[in-house]
Amino acid sequence: ADELVPPTRTNQRGHFEAKTLVRLNDRLLTTVGGTWSAPPPLVPGWERADSLDELRAEASASFDAVFPHRPAAWKDPRNCIVLPFWQSVLGPGTAAVLVYRDPIEVARSLQARNQFSLTEGLALWERYVRSACANLNGLPTLCCDFQSLLDDPRKWCEEAVAFLALVGIAVDTAQLDRAADSVDGSLRHQHKATEGAHGLGSSQRRILEILRSMDGPHHAWPSPDLGLEPDWVGDVLAMRLDLDMLGRAHRSLTTSRAYRLATAVGRLRGRES
């Protein structure tokens, strides 16, 4: 077991993400030239790079420490991007639940929580969803719309149990009611403005249509042809990466010993004058 990322103002129940693995994924993204908010475009086979050997060994030990018993359920949106790395660490036996959400809702959520522009939020949605669709290729996958989960939690839980049975994982069905009752739609802070994907570009509308056509269980996920990622997505995320790096450099400077010393000296001189 591991300490979970705690609740926040925008997520009152918490994120249900293991801190140790979140931090490791953040370091992994930094190593390959990105951040969670500016994930880099990765070429096939990137996860086998020798430069990741040390991190790969640490990841194996960390996963075993966080999840000492199997089967285990692990949630972290970063895995949409870095799943190939974890497959190289954990080996076969992985199944996935792909829950997709309306892009406008995601963008508004990021705007409220992180002060991102709506354009940044839509770019992030597209990069994450495209990466997930590619990286899940061949894996047992249950695909579902976030809205359908909220509309009928009991039905969704029954579908999830049936999917897990297909991949050889038995679930105590006596917990179905408890699981369904734990879903609280009132905690959903963002809602799309209108039905029909108001404000979306053609690429996001197409991806949504394809995902909706793929709702349900897949014994082996057939990565759909989503077309090429629009150039603007890469441009926006490159700018976000520059901002992330500037912010990181600023934090590093302001927490350095030299900066604290210079600040203290400045205050002393101010008092003397």
Side-chain angles (χ1 to χ4, degrees), residues 168-272:
I169 300 174
V171 177
D172 181 4
T173 55
Q175 300 298 319
L176 269 175
D177 288 335
R178 182 181 174 188
D181 290 343
S182 71
V183 177
D184 184 354
S186 69
L187 296 176
R188 178 187 187 185
H189 299 291
Q190 304 299 331
H191 300 263
K192 58 186 174 185
T194 61
E195 191 64 34
H198 174 75
L200 296 183
S202 58
S203 176
Q204 289 114 48
R205 288 196 298 270
R206 181 168 183 268
I207 292 172
L208 268 182
E209 290 172 2
I210 290 173
L211 287 175
R212 285 169 178 160
S213 73
M214 299 179 72
D215 275 353
H218 299 265
H219 184 265
W221 176 258
S223 291
D225 180 7
L226 303 180
L228 295 176
E229 181 183 88
D231 290 340
W232 68 267
V233 171
D235 293 341
V236 168
L237 294 181
M239 287 189 288
R240 168 46 55 186
L241 181 60
D242 288 342
L243 290 172
D244 287 348
M245 294 301 101
L246 285 171
R248 183 173 298 172
H250 179 262
R251 288 190 296 273
S252 178
L253 172 64
T254 55
T255 56
S256 68
R257 184 173 180 274
Y259 182 89
R260 294 197 303 270
L261 180 60
T263 301
V265 170
R267 287 172 181 165
L268 286 172
R269 287 178 175 173
R271 292 172 185 169
E272 292 171 355

Side-chain angles (χ1 to χ4, degrees), residues 1 21 57-70 86 89-90:
L21 299 181
E58 181 182 345
S60 179
S62 295
F63 191 90
D64 287 341
V66 173
F67 297 115
H69 307 292
R70 305 289 195 279
W86 285 101
V89 170
L90 302 176

Side-chain angles (χ1 to χ4, degrees), residues 115-129:
Q115 293 74 57
F116 290 175
S117 69
L118 289 179
T119 301
E120 285 178 295
L122 291 174
L124 264 177
W125 182 91
E126 184 141 350
R127 177 65 58 82
Y128 269 78
V129 172

